[in-house]
Amino acid sequence: MTEAAIAIRDLCKTYAGGKRALDGVTFDVPRGQVFGLLGPNGAGKSTLINILAGLVNKTSGSASIWGFDIDEHPRNAKASIGIVNQEITFDPFFTPLETLENQAGFYGVPKAKRRSLDLLRAMGLEDKANAYSRTLSGGMKRRLMVAKAMVHSPPVIVLDEPTAGVDIELRRQLWDYVRGLNARGVTVVLTTHYLQEAEELCDRIAIINHGRVVANEPTRVLLGMAQEKQVVVTLDRDVTAPPQARCFEKVEAIDPRTLAITYRKDRTNAGEVLTAVSEGGFAIVDVTTREADLEDVFLNLTRAAANG
Ligand code: ADP
Ligand code: MG
């Protein structure tokens, strides 16, 4: 099937009070992928997820899940998705096993089709099946949330910041689990503000900033954009003809004696760039370097959008 796992069209959300959290968001999550929704805090990621979950009402636009429009076929849409919210929420007085059984009941999963113990096993919680949930560690609670989102075997699972504030070991565990789910055919959507996490896991990444999609690319394309570094050199005299070298991606004059030279760290290094400047006949008076980070990728993309 070629239909998208999730299709979002011109989605807008203005909260009571006037905050415009989503401003015309459009993208598809292809079936079978691990899809990253990446953006800084406040970008609108949770708002979007919560609209899909039916927890927040959209202002306008449309969304469908597994072909089901969330307004026209809300029950089918809901049955097609499992959502792990950013906040950990469940009743602390139930055991993990009861938590999953309750959730399965809530989704109308018949007893014969329930797989609570399998899910607990998959999340490494087998021996906690009958413990009180409030006695679980933070990491175990997070894993229980994932299991809970899977009780009705949805074809799509969404994890909203699954690893925010989680230690590196648990982060790796969750990544392995996400890969495992995906290998079994589940489409995974993951929101994160960690570029590295998106790089490691995702086939495709959409970047959202101030409620707008500023990029939606296969991960390797986006990675190329994050390979840029910059050296800013102050030279001994005014530059009339900027130096040229193969290792420069881009040369911009900040003032007559200061150049910002962009290069790609996967192809060259600052030493080669500085050598090339010297070989151009300039003496270097001062130098600073900047590493491209997520912010730069954002800036480059928004600039490109403004110019294009
Ligand atoms: P993210 O998950 O990317 O960090 P959110 O979707 O949580 O972003 O928030 C997007 C923007 O909407 C932020 O400016 C946030 O303060 C605002 N916001 C989120 N929830 C509400 C709410 N219930 N009422 C008003 N504003 C909200
Ligand atoms: Mg959020």
Side-chain angles (χ1 to χ4, degrees), residues 10 19 25 174 180 261 299 303 308:
D10 209 16
K19 174 70 203 178
V25 169
L174 276 161
I261 301 170
L299 287 175
R303 218 184 285 140

Side-chain angles (χ1 to χ4, degrees), residues 133-186:
S133 295
R134 67 179 138 80
T135 65
L136 304 184
S137 71
M140 291 172 177
K141 286 177 183 158
R142 179 76 61 184
R143 269 146 39 205
L144 180 56
M145 296 264 298
V146 177
K148 200 177 148 193
M150 293 298 300
V151 295
H152 57 299
S153 309
V156 186
I157 184 158
V158 178
L159 303 154
D160 193 4
E161 306 256 4
T163 61
V166 152
D167 67 46
I168 187 70
E169 192 169 334
L170 178 60
R171 189 171 299 178
R172 297 248 163 237
Q173 254 178 42
L174 276 161
W175 290 357
D176 284 345
Y177 185 68
V178 165
R179 288 194 189 97
L181 276 179
N182 185 242
R184 280 182 274 143
V186 178

Side-chain angles (χ1 to χ4, degrees), residues 78-96:
K78 255 192 187 153
S80 303
I81 198 166
I83 293 186
V84 183
N85 283 112
Q86 191 168 349
E87 288 81 32
I88 293 176
T89 49
F90 48 79
D91 194 319
F93 296 103
F94 288 114
T95 68

